[in-house]
Amino acid sequence: AQKITQTQPGMFVQEKEAVTLDCTYDTSDPSYGLFWYKQPSSGEMIFLIYQGSYDQQNATEGRYSLNFQKARKSANLVISASQLGDSAMYFCAMRVFNQAGTALIFGKGTTLSVSS
Amino acid sequence: NAGVTQTPKFQVLKTGQSMTLQCAQDMNHNSMYWYRQDPGMGLRLIYYSASEGTTDKGEVPNGYNVSRLNKREFSLRLESAAPSQTSVYFCASRRTSGGVETQYFGPGTRLLVL
């Protein structure tokens, strides 16, 4: 079964510290994509970073990096130098191919709280 | 360039009423999606449209219908609303560029069914 698991309901970090949000996935497809989205309290879904299953290097976007360990089926998000504005819910998602074509399945999310 | 827009932003319905949620994108994307998000949950796919005129069921399609009349617009209809359909609904469109895929989301519609 295709599944995304985020085991950390909540994470707490101080400003300027780095934080890792965990994500494991399960799929038998050789081709897949992994995403992280940020959802602030205002509710919108903001795309952060993407990693393709065949990408050799870990994806990076500014302060965000994706620690992709294919053998362990993990795709952890690393936020360096946390800021107060990083406080939000973070969702890991996986692109799957099914009867509906291409769609995303999401984990249940991790709430990140950044304090000063 | 407004991205993905959704109307309305909020709606309260009584059980049995019908309504249509509207979604439009101005990025010329072929693929569009409807998701629902329940409290404490990630998003779940309701329906999907790979291109104009085509639609397919996702994970939770029961109680919904969709219409993709043109490339820009993808609407979601609740024919007879039920309290279990109280949720936040997100529309999205998909772009693939340089091997990187992104789904762009609208701001969401908060629906309460009494």
Side-chain angles (χ1 to χ4, degrees), chain B residues 31-61:
Chain B
S31 299
M32 297 184 72
Y33 307 79
W34 276 105
Y35 294 90
R36 62 178 286 174
Q37 183 181 27
D38 299 309
M41 302 284 290
L43 279 67
R44 292 182 294 168
L45 182 66
I46 305 172
Y47 267 94
Y48 160 85
S49 171
S51 61
E52 179 182 345
T54 68
T55 61
D56 288 286
K57 295 178 180 179
E59 181 184 355
V60 288

Side-chain angles (χ1 to χ4, degrees), chain B residues 34 49 54-55 65-70 73-77:
Chain B
W34 276 105
S49 171
T54 68
T55 61
N65 286 301
V66 291
S67 179
R68 183 84 182 271
L69 295 177
N70 53 59
E73 298 171 299
F74 187 35
S75 61
L76 178 72
R77 182 160 178 84

Side-chain angles (χ1 to χ4, degrees), chain A residues 75-108:
Chain A
N76 298 339
L77 177 70
V78 181
I79 305 175
S80 63
S82 298
Q83 301 172 355
L84 294 177
D86 294 335
S87 294
M89 178 78 86
Y90 289 80
F91 291 98
C92 180
M94 177 170 63
R95 168 179 43 82
V96 297
F97 294 101
N98 54 26
Q99 288 182 336
T102 297
L104 296 180
I105 57 170
F106 284 79
K108 293 186 176 182

